[in-house]
Amino acid sequence: MTTNTFYDRIRARTEAICSPLSSEDYVVQVVEFTSPAKWHLGHTTWFFEAFILNKYLDNYREFHPDFAFLFNSYYQTMGERLLRVRRGFMTRPPVEQIYEYRDYVNRHMRKLMDNDHLSDEVRDLIVLGCHHEQQHQELLWTDIKYMLGHQSIFPAYDKTTSLATTYNSETGWLEHPGGVVDIGHKGEEFCYDNELGKHQVYLHPFSISKALVTNGEYIEFIEAGGYKNPDLWLDDGWTWLQTEKISQPMYWHKKGEEWLQYTLKGLLPIDQKAQLCHISQYEASAYAEWKNLRLPTEFEWEAAADELNWGQRWEWTNSAYLPYPFFEKAPGAVGEYNGKFMSNQLVLKGQSVATSDNHSRKTYRNFFKPQMQWQYSGIRLATYLK
Amino acid sequence: MTTNTFYDRIRARTEAICSPLSSEDYVVQVVEFTSPAKWHLGHTTWFFEAFILNKYLDNYREFHPDFAFLFNSYYQTMGERLLRVRRGFMTRPPVEQIYEYRDYVNRHMRKLMDNDHLSDEVRDLIVLGCHHEQQHQELLWTDIKYMLGHQSIFPAYDKTTSLATTYNSETGWLEHPGGVVDIGHKGEEFCYDNELGKHQVYLHPFSISKALVTNGEYIEFIEAGGYKNPDLWLDDGWTWLQTEKISQPMYWHKKGEEWLQYTLKGLLPIDQKAQLCHISQYEASAYAEWKNLRLPTEFEWEAAADELNWGQRWEWTNSAYLPYPFFEKAPGAVGEYNGKFMSNQLVLKGQSVATSDNHSRKTYRNFFKPQMQWQYSGIRLATYLK
Amino acid sequence: MTTNTFYDRIRARTEAICSPLSSEDYVVQVVEFTSPAKWHLGHTTWFFEAFILNKYLDNYREFHPDFAFLFNSYYQTMGERLLRVRRGFMTRPPVEQIYEYRDYVNRHMRKLMDNDHLSDEVRDLIVLGCHHEQQHQELLWTDIKYMLGHQSIFPAYDKTTSLATTYNSETGWLEHPGGVVDIGHKGEEFCYDNELGKHQVYLHPFSISKALVTNGEYIEFIEAGGYKNPDLWLDDGWTWLQTEKISQPMYWHKKGEEWLQYTLKGLLPIDQKAQLCHISQYEASAYAEWKNLRLPTEFEWEAAADELNWGQRWEWTNSAYLPYPFFEKAPGAVGEYNGKFMSNQLVLKGQSVATSDNHSRKTYRNFFKPQMQWQYSGIRLATYLK
Amino acid sequence: MTTNTFYDRIRARTEAICSPLSSEDYVVQVVEFTSPAKWHLGHTTWFFEAFILNKYLDNYREFHPDFAFLFNSYYQTMGERLLRVRRGFMTRPPVEQIYEYRDYVNRHMRKLMDNDHLSDEVRDLIVLGCHHEQQHQELLWTDIKYMLGHQSIFPAYDKTTSLATTYNSETGWLEHPGGVVDIGHKGEEFCYDNELGKHQVYLHPFSISKALVTNGEYIEFIEAGGYKNPDLWLDDGWTWLQTEKISQPMYWHKKGEEWLQYTLKGLLPIDQKAQLCHISQYEASAYAEWKNLRLPTEFEWEAAADELNWGQRWEWTNSAYLPYPFFEKAPGAVGEYNGKFMSNQLVLKGQSVATSDNHSRKTYRNFFKPQMQWQYSGIRLATYLK
């Protein structure tokens, strides 16, 4: 696929995700760690303007002098920016103007891309911008779900969406003999800086489940008092349960004897056979402890990935998100992309139904703080072979 | 004016205030003490539905089963309700549906009002509902201003609005001999329960300013270090300054040497001769202290009101909002209207440019916590005659 | 009594109150609004050093250069001071040194007082310092009780202390005809600035209870669901209940079916006939509401005081603590004494078993925020005569 | 050394550390993550009572029925316990009684240990209790320093203590060829559960500094604006700086142009050649970033340890504190010892001047959250060989 085609498809996909939203849905931010759809639309566009058009397209004029302030996310080196907690106050500029901004930037990007002599540096930045936008597409799914799913009347996003229930296609366990394995990205395809640096890791022999934990299995854990037994929980996890009054996965509601679940189709009964979703790493760890098993490391997961079915749920590992050997921050603002988040986060492997397809590679390192539940996250178990 | 006409005018006025808003403007809540325009539209309508139509119109069917939950404000006796802090999350139902709700309730109210034999009890409730809606009209002005004025690009509400600068028409001081005076509401006209109970209060001779404090006078206070001198401030006021990092009235911004002010017309230079606005009682008290004067009591204000020009700014008094002698809570939910707020609040007298005209009576007791700045509040000074 | 004798008695009394304490008991601060006994001992001494010895005793040398910083309470004009919240961190200087400080200042005060030509100004400051220390004696009682009563093993202060149960000596109601009455302090005796300014207040005819509410009466309120019925509570009071999880007066504990109460003698069964104690104004107001009665105003209380038995409990009024007509702040630091606290507080009248005897005068205005429970506070009810 | 002798020495050592304290010093808790000396004395004693005497000494009677509640730290399986934040409120029982408790338990422990047929299980528990107490000895050093060093007058613990300045004895770099190395504890000596499970780790070739960072080197970082440049910091670290207003290591104070440092000897000028101390992992990471170097992993450190001089400062690594392969929680309450803290913490290797000597082994895994500064922590740098 040419860069132009890739760019066009991705830009259009973002807008397709937003198409069922009302103008009011675009603007609200329910909690600081989510962003309004409107902000995602503007921010992904600003990325192309700030890192590419401003520098590489002759005579480019910024669409609006305030937008750099409004749509910078966290790049300290790119100047002042709107506080994250205030993203949901932005009723002006209106959504229509954000769409005009997108069109304006798209037109100028095409002008730049039509140039025959596009340098590798610029091409790499365009590809980075597209992958960046795909990450925000996934956040659009999770943030829209959060915004709708935390309203008291549980409105549906789209009654026909396919982003809902997923099932295991396999059961049983896969054994791996361990030894020194290769980890990390090699080759020419796109990847993020945090995957780079192919290197070696020594693994002890282990066994990993072919199936993810199901809703039914997790209900057993709840009904066995899993949320009430501090022995099963990490100390920080137990504190989190008490402070936030957590007693079930995000979006689960018990009405009488029935378990319901908010989905993008609205509130539905829970399917016991489907894969568990919206689980924190603390919950995943406690569940594993209850089963006398554990979560895999990111290295075990990657070593076994070719023989596993994955792709419906982000899978929590028990690996801290830390730099690979030889990791180097890119110079300048792009260098803020990943490295500075390497503390207090855990790696998730795989992808979810909300992930863009070409984000599917076994070296991908997603990362979140262990209490986060709003991603499409699930549990795969492992154990050592003895 | 008939009840019908009164009802129609007030209902239409609410919608006129909202007419310059975009659909996004309707939904956002920047801070807990304000509410989104959308919520005000729904809540004032729910008041008629819950207190009148449900009880007095035969065969009335509620417009929507969720709306009682969404649009109850604080009436504990009327059942569960949406947490105030969550009012800004409500992207659904959409604004259009709130307008349908208003039309639906209006149609049924007219049906009820067309009945020849409307009881006094129902008529009183309708009038109460209209006055209640007028209070929310004033909150619409202040909450819309807050929502727009706290965005980084300072969008105007309407470049031609008349709610802006006001001036004193008089200067000098009015002397009052004191003695036993009558306070509180008498007569047949509408008033709130907290004004009732005409009673006597003894006043010592005092002098009260005919003019309100101007922007220019207040700038002198700022430039004399008023915000940096703890001697001038109440202890709670000084703590508030430090905690909230306050160094000027709400909506004031200093750009270089120039003082600017956010207004519903957008960001404008401050007019030194205009009346000061958006001031807390703490600031009003500190300013009075700096002038070796004081704020009037609510009783002094009321005793002098017939000889003063008032009506551009709510005027802070130094009277705590407490029950008048013989105050009685109305039975039932309507009794939650005023009495339960009689702690930690101070009385403001008069009215402001944002107040509905027929809310203009000298016995009116407005009340807010002393740190509140977002109302159209100003300063009138007083002193004892010796 | 000469000033010298008065001074000596009061200084000795402070130390007598502390005599049952261990050195560890002197140092701990359980909550910000209380202070450690050690700090009270130092602060009351600093008052004499800072306001009197430094200015009026020739060649006086401060005991220690750090003590002005450590023992200033809130006098902004007296320089930097230890944050209130850090008073409980002060293990050094040791308690012994604070007692040396007291002795040192006492010796120098006697030197000053032995001077035949003591000016009225200095004499007034000494008397003010003594009254100030008596206020801190009362705080010693309440703060020591708080510190011991919030330990898990409920240690007694002194098993033989007389500061415990008190009873009503009268029942029934006193009627007052109302009219213009005199309020405030006159005459030559000591009083605080906030009592000054004898002035007139108009009262409507009222009836006031001769007895305070008893524990038994209050248990009826609890058992009738008083803490669960929002209708009875001020809005701020209800929020306080929910936030702080209050369901009974401070120091009450229910063990099985029995009500117990922490006292300075340790944990004891509650005597139903004794006067209720450690009640907030919110609780007092809710109780009054439940009885269809009200709290008196400070003016009613003062007008009726000569015919009431009072002195066991501070009695909450429903009067906000605001300046009397003609109130003037004293110049300089002493002027910070009372005026700056005139917001968000309510007046309590009378005195309690913890109050020094010569603090007993009907014009005394004690004041606290309405949620405060740790004073020896009780409830006297009133109503209007109709 | 026999178990008896080991026990006696360690118990005596704890009391020796406390000997310079006043009774007031024993009781105060300045911040939740520290504990009062008194609590450490009681808790280490309770450990022997709860886990050994209650179970293994016939007819043992607990010293006091309240002490299990007061001195349990975090063992959820051992019943209710005092909230950590309330440890500093405990003025009763007095310090003297805690010493009586220690004597009582010591006498009974000796009785148990004098028994010829002590089982291995009991002997292991005694050794565990001794090591546990040694960990608390280190916490006594750091918590006493925190308590004294956060008082406004900076009192010394002991003007002659040797726990102060330390220097590097070597400079230069050590190269390591990498490859598969053995990690973790083997052999019969005591170790904690988190060190167990000798296993293999693959290392890439690296170089590690023979010296720790000095005060002088760190001052260069400060003066080059290190605390003002977000590029150098992890995102969480930068947020921590802003929130806590950190601009230098804990206990450092700048007076005019001079850098001072609180030590257990009191406030002293900083020695530029001495080893840096009291540094968070965030600061260590930012410093390493500024030098274009990095912190070692715990595995690199352990692989190089035999050729390094270490033991003055705990050395931050960039390894998350996670279970080793084959890690198993011990059954019962002892199993709460380490495993449940394996989230959001980083490993520190080595030991500090505050560490007990026999805690010196290269497999030891100390762990703290990355913002913690109050341990005797320093910086050793590393880099990959290319």
Short mmCIF file of all heavy atoms in Angstrom, two decimals, chain D residues 152-192:
data_model
loop_
_atom_site.label_atom_id
_atom_site.label_comp_id
_atom_site.label_asym_id
_atom_site.label_seq_id
_atom_site.Cartn_x
_atom_site.Cartn_y
_atom_site.Cartn_z
N SER D 152 11.43 21.94 62.82
CA SER D 152 11.97 23.22 62.33
C SER D 152 13.30 23.57 62.95
O SER D 152 14.01 24.41 62.41
CB SER D 152 10.95 24.32 62.55
OG SER D 152 10.15 24.07 63.67
N ILE D 153 13.67 22.96 64.07
CA ILE D 153 14.94 23.35 64.68
C ILE D 153 16.04 22.31 64.46
O ILE D 153 17.13 22.43 65.02
CB ILE D 153 14.75 23.63 66.19
CG1 ILE D 153 14.24 22.39 66.93
CG2 ILE D 153 13.75 24.79 66.39
CD1 ILE D 153 14.21 22.56 68.43
N PHE D 154 15.81 21.31 63.64
CA PHE D 154 16.82 20.34 63.21
C PHE D 154 17.65 19.76 64.36
O PHE D 154 18.89 19.84 64.35
CB PHE D 154 17.76 20.99 62.18
CG PHE D 154 17.06 21.44 60.94
CD1 PHE D 154 17.00 22.79 60.61
CD2 PHE D 154 16.44 20.53 60.11
CE1 PHE D 154 16.34 23.21 59.47
CE2 PHE D 154 15.79 20.94 58.95
CZ PHE D 154 15.74 22.29 58.64
N PRO D 155 17.00 19.15 65.32
CA PRO D 155 17.78 18.59 66.43
C PRO D 155 18.64 17.41 65.99
O PRO D 155 18.25 16.64 65.11
CB PRO D 155 16.70 18.13 67.42
CG PRO D 155 15.47 17.97 66.62
CD PRO D 155 15.55 18.93 65.49
N ALA D 156 19.80 17.28 66.61
CA ALA D 156 20.68 16.13 66.34
C ALA D 156 20.17 14.90 67.08
O ALA D 156 19.59 15.01 68.17
CB ALA D 156 22.09 16.45 66.77
N TYR D 157 20.40 13.74 66.49
CA TYR D 157 20.14 12.48 67.17
C TYR D 157 21.30 12.21 68.14
O TYR D 157 21.11 11.90 69.31
CB TYR D 157 20.04 11.38 66.11
CG TYR D 157 20.24 9.97 66.58
CD1 TYR D 157 19.22 9.27 67.23
CD2 TYR D 157 21.44 9.30 66.35
CE1 TYR D 157 19.40 7.96 67.64
CE2 TYR D 157 21.64 7.99 66.75
CZ TYR D 157 20.62 7.32 67.40
OH TYR D 157 20.80 6.02 67.80
N ASP D 158 22.51 12.35 67.65
CA ASP D 158 23.69 12.08 68.46
C ASP D 158 24.86 12.72 67.72
O ASP D 158 25.15 12.35 66.58
CB ASP D 158 23.88 10.56 68.58
CG ASP D 158 25.17 10.20 69.30
OD1 ASP D 158 25.94 11.12 69.68
OD2 ASP D 158 25.41 9.00 69.48
N LYS D 159 25.50 13.66 68.37
CA LYS D 159 26.54 14.45 67.69
C LYS D 159 27.75 13.60 67.31
O LYS D 159 28.63 14.04 66.57
CB LYS D 159 27.02 15.60 68.59
CG LYS D 159 25.96 16.60 68.96
CD LYS D 159 25.94 17.77 67.98
CE LYS D 159 24.96 18.83 68.45
NZ LYS D 159 24.61 19.80 67.40
N THR D 160 27.83 12.38 67.84
CA THR D 160 29.02 11.55 67.59
C THR D 160 28.71 10.32 66.74
O THR D 160 29.56 9.45 66.57
CB THR D 160 29.62 11.07 68.92
OG1 THR D 160 28.64 10.22 69.55
CG2 THR D 160 29.95 12.24 69.83
N THR D 161 27.51 10.24 66.20
CA THR D 161 27.15 9.03 65.45
C THR D 161 28.06 8.86 64.23
O THR D 161 28.49 9.84 63.61
CB THR D 161 25.69 9.08 64.98
OG1 THR D 161 25.43 7.90 64.25
CG2 THR D 161 25.42 10.27 64.09
N SER D 162 28.30 7.61 63.88
CA SER D 162 29.16 7.35 62.71
C SER D 162 28.34 7.24 61.43
O SER D 162 28.89 7.12 60.35
CB SER D 162 29.93 6.04 62.94
OG SER D 162 29.00 4.98 63.07
N LEU D 163 27.00 7.27 61.56
CA LEU D 163 26.16 7.13 60.36
C LEU D 163 26.11 8.43 59.60
O LEU D 163 25.09 9.11 59.60
CB LEU D 163 24.74 6.79 60.76
CG LEU D 163 24.27 5.37 60.45
CD1 LEU D 163 24.60 4.51 61.64
CD2 LEU D 163 22.81 5.35 60.13
N ALA D 164 27.18 8.79 58.96
CA ALA D 164 27.07 10.07 58.29
C ALA D 164 27.74 9.96 56.94
O ALA D 164 27.35 9.14 56.12
CB ALA D 164 27.66 11.16 59.15
N THR D 165 28.75 10.71 56.71
CA THR D 165 29.38 10.83 55.40
C THR D 165 30.15 9.56 55.03
O THR D 165 30.85 8.98 55.85
CB THR D 165 30.36 12.01 55.48
OG1 THR D 165 29.74 13.03 56.27
CG2 THR D 165 30.68 12.55 54.12
N THR D 166 30.00 9.15 53.75
CA THR D 166 30.78 8.01 53.23
C THR D 166 31.38 8.40 51.89
O THR D 166 30.84 9.27 51.20
CB THR D 166 29.91 6.76 53.04
OG1 THR D 166 28.86 7.07 52.10
CG2 THR D 166 29.30 6.28 54.34
N TYR D 167 32.48 7.75 51.53
CA TYR D 167 33.24 8.11 50.32
C TYR D 167 33.46 6.90 49.44
O TYR D 167 33.46 5.76 49.91
CB TYR D 167 34.59 8.71 50.71
CG TYR D 167 34.45 9.93 51.57
CD1 TYR D 167 34.40 9.83 52.95
CD2 TYR D 167 34.33 11.20 50.98
CE1 TYR D 167 34.23 10.96 53.75
CE2 TYR D 167 34.15 12.33 51.77
CZ TYR D 167 34.10 12.21 53.16
OH TYR D 167 33.91 13.31 53.93
N ASN D 168 33.69 7.15 48.17
CA ASN D 168 34.06 6.09 47.25
C ASN D 168 35.52 5.69 47.48
O ASN D 168 36.38 6.56 47.70
CB ASN D 168 33.91 6.56 45.80
CG ASN D 168 32.45 6.73 45.41
OD1 ASN D 168 31.65 5.83 45.65
ND2 ASN D 168 32.12 7.87 44.83
N SER D 169 35.79 4.40 47.37
CA SER D 169 37.18 3.97 47.50
C SER D 169 37.79 3.64 46.13
O SER D 169 38.96 3.35 46.02
CB SER D 169 37.25 2.73 48.40
OG SER D 169 36.38 1.74 47.89
N GLU D 170 36.95 3.67 45.11
CA GLU D 170 37.42 3.33 43.76
C GLU D 170 36.77 4.25 42.75
O GLU D 170 35.70 4.80 43.00
CB GLU D 170 36.97 1.91 43.39
CG GLU D 170 37.75 0.80 44.03
CD GLU D 170 37.36 -0.52 43.35
OE1 GLU D 170 36.15 -0.85 43.35
OE2 GLU D 170 38.25 -1.19 42.81
N THR D 171 37.38 4.36 41.57
CA THR D 171 36.72 5.04 40.45
C THR D 171 36.85 4.14 39.23
O THR D 171 37.42 3.05 39.31
CB THR D 171 37.37 6.40 40.15
OG1 THR D 171 38.76 6.17 39.88
CG2 THR D 171 37.21 7.36 41.33
N GLY D 172 36.34 4.60 38.12
CA GLY D 172 36.46 3.84 36.88
C GLY D 172 35.28 2.90 36.66
O GLY D 172 34.29 2.95 37.40
N TRP D 173 35.39 2.07 35.65
CA TRP D 173 34.28 1.23 35.22
C TRP D 173 34.68 -0.24 35.17
O TRP D 173 35.81 -0.58 34.87
CB TRP D 173 33.81 1.67 33.82
CG TRP D 173 33.20 3.03 33.84
CD1 TRP D 173 33.87 4.22 33.89
CD2 TRP D 173 31.81 3.32 33.86
NE1 TRP D 173 32.96 5.26 33.94
CE2 TRP D 173 31.69 4.73 33.91
CE3 TRP D 173 30.65 2.54 33.84
CZ2 TRP D 173 30.46 5.37 33.95
CZ3 TRP D 173 29.42 3.17 33.85
CH2 TRP D 173 29.33 4.57 33.91
N LEU D 174 33.72 -1.08 35.45
CA LEU D 174 33.92 -2.52 35.37
C LEU D 174 33.13 -3.04 34.17
O LEU D 174 31.95 -2.76 34.02
CB LEU D 174 33.37 -3.17 36.64
CG LEU D 174 33.37 -4.70 36.69
CD1 LEU D 174 34.80 -5.24 36.80
CD2 LEU D 174 32.52 -5.19 37.86
N GLU D 175 33.80 -3.82 33.32
CA GLU D 175 33.11 -4.39 32.15
C GLU D 175 32.70 -5.83 32.44
O GLU D 175 33.43 -6.58 33.07
CB GLU D 175 34.00 -4.32 30.91
CG GLU D 175 34.38 -2.88 30.59
CD GLU D 175 34.88 -2.71 29.16
OE1 GLU D 175 35.14 -3.71 28.48
OE2 GLU D 175 34.98 -1.53 28.74
N HIS D 176 31.52 -6.19 31.93
CA HIS D 176 31.02 -7.55 32.13
C HIS D 176 30.61 -8.10 30.76
O HIS D 176 29.92 -7.42 30.00
CB HIS D 176 29.83 -7.53 33.09
CG HIS D 176 29.37 -8.90 33.50
ND1 HIS D 176 28.71 -9.75 32.67
CD2 HIS D 176 29.51 -9.57 34.68
CE1 HIS D 176 28.43 -10.88 33.31
NE2 HIS D 176 28.91 -10.80 34.53
N PRO D 177 31.02 -9.32 30.44
CA PRO D 177 30.79 -9.84 29.08
C PRO D 177 29.37 -10.28 28.80
O PRO D 177 29.03 -10.62 27.66
CB PRO D 177 31.73 -11.04 29.02
CG PRO D 177 31.79 -11.52 30.45
CD PRO D 177 31.75 -10.27 31.29
N GLY D 178 28.53 -10.33 29.82
CA GLY D 178 27.16 -10.79 29.58
C GLY D 178 27.08 -12.30 29.46
O GLY D 178 27.97 -13.02 29.92
N GLY D 179 25.96 -12.78 28.87
CA GLY D 179 25.71 -14.22 28.76
C GLY D 179 24.72 -14.68 29.81
O GLY D 179 24.14 -13.86 30.53
N VAL D 180 24.51 -15.99 29.89
CA VAL D 180 23.57 -16.53 30.88
C VAL D 180 24.24 -16.57 32.25
O VAL D 180 25.33 -17.15 32.38
CB VAL D 180 23.11 -17.94 30.46
CG1 VAL D 180 22.23 -18.55 31.56
CG2 VAL D 180 22.32 -17.87 29.15
N VAL D 181 23.66 -15.94 33.22
CA VAL D 181 24.23 -15.91 34.58
C VAL D 181 23.23 -16.49 35.58
O VAL D 181 22.03 -16.53 35.32
CB VAL D 181 24.60 -14.46 35.00
CG1 VAL D 181 25.66 -13.87 34.06
CG2 VAL D 181 23.35 -13.57 35.05
N ASP D 182 23.78 -16.90 36.70
CA ASP D 182 22.93 -17.41 37.78
C ASP D 182 22.49 -16.27 38.68
O ASP D 182 23.31 -15.44 39.07
CB ASP D 182 23.72 -18.40 38.65
CG ASP D 182 23.81 -19.76 37.99
OD1 ASP D 182 23.21 -19.94 36.90
OD2 ASP D 182 24.50 -20.62 38.54
N ILE D 183 21.23 -16.26 39.04
CA ILE D 183 20.66 -15.21 39.88
C ILE D 183 19.86 -15.89 41.00
O ILE D 183 19.21 -16.91 40.77
CB ILE D 183 19.73 -14.30 39.06
CG1 ILE D 183 20.50 -13.53 38.00
CG2 ILE D 183 18.93 -13.34 39.96
CD1 ILE D 183 21.48 -12.49 38.53
N GLY D 184 19.93 -15.30 42.19
CA GLY D 184 19.12 -15.79 43.30
C GLY D 184 19.92 -16.60 44.30
O GLY D 184 21.09 -16.94 44.06
N HIS D 185 19.29 -16.87 45.39
CA HIS D 185 19.96 -17.46 46.53
C HIS D 185 20.05 -18.98 46.44
O HIS D 185 19.10 -19.66 46.09
CB HIS D 185 19.20 -17.09 47.80
CG HIS D 185 19.96 -17.37 49.03
ND1 HIS D 185 20.93 -16.52 49.53
CD2 HIS D 185 19.93 -18.42 49.89
CE1 HIS D 185 21.44 -17.02 50.62
NE2 HIS D 185 20.84 -18.18 50.87
N LYS D 186 21.20 -19.51 46.81
CA LYS D 186 21.35 -20.95 47.00
C LYS D 186 22.07 -21.15 48.32
O LYS D 186 22.61 -20.21 48.91
CB LYS D 186 22.15 -21.56 45.86
CG LYS D 186 23.54 -20.94 45.70
CD LYS D 186 24.18 -21.31 44.37
CE LYS D 186 25.38 -20.40 44.10
NZ LYS D 186 25.88 -20.50 42.73
N GLY D 187 22.15 -22.36 48.79
CA GLY D 187 22.88 -22.64 50.02
C GLY D 187 21.98 -22.60 51.22
O GLY D 187 20.76 -22.43 51.11
N GLU D 188 22.59 -22.75 52.39
CA GLU D 188 21.83 -23.00 53.60
C GLU D 188 21.58 -21.74 54.43
O GLU D 188 20.76 -21.76 55.33
CB GLU D 188 22.61 -24.01 54.47
CG GLU D 188 22.67 -25.39 53.84
CD GLU D 188 21.27 -25.93 53.53
OE1 GLU D 188 20.43 -26.00 54.45
OE2 GLU D 188 21.02 -26.26 52.35
N GLU D 189 22.35 -20.70 54.14
CA GLU D 189 22.19 -19.50 54.96
C GLU D 189 20.80 -18.91 54.85
O GLU D 189 20.09 -19.15 53.89
CB GLU D 189 23.17 -18.42 54.50
CG GLU D 189 24.59 -18.65 54.94
CD GLU D 189 25.47 -17.70 54.15
OE1 GLU D 189 25.30 -16.47 54.31
OE2 GLU D 189 26.29 -18.19 53.34
N PHE D 190 20.50 -18.06 55.82
CA PHE D 190 19.21 -17.39 55.82
C PHE D 190 19.05 -16.50 54.59
O PHE D 190 19.98 -15.82 54.17
CB PHE D 190 19.06 -16.52 57.06
CG PHE D 190 17.80 -15.72 57.02
CD1 PHE D 190 16.59 -16.29 57.43
CD2 PHE D 190 17.77 -14.42 56.52
CE1 PHE D 190 15.42 -15.58 57.37
CE2 PHE D 190 16.59 -13.71 56.45
CZ PHE D 190 15.41 -14.29 56.87
N CYS D 191 17.86 -16.52 54.03
CA CYS D 191 17.49 -15.48 53.06
C CYS D 191 15.97 -15.35 53.08
O CYS D 191 15.27 -16.16 53.68
CB CYS D 191 17.98 -15.80 51.66
SG CYS D 191 17.00 -17.06 50.85
N TYR D 192 15.48 -14.30 52.44
CA TYR D 192 14.02 -14.12 52.36
C TYR D 192 13.45 -14.91 51.19
O TYR D 192 14.17 -15.25 50.24
CB TYR D 192 13.67 -12.64 52.23
CG TYR D 192 13.92 -11.90 53.50
CD1 TYR D 192 14.97 -11.00 53.59
CD2 TYR D 192 13.13 -12.12 54.63
CE1 TYR D 192 15.23 -10.33 54.77
CE2 TYR D 192 13.39 -11.46 55.80
CZ TYR D 192 14.43 -10.56 55.88
OH TYR D 192 14.68 -9.91 57.05
#
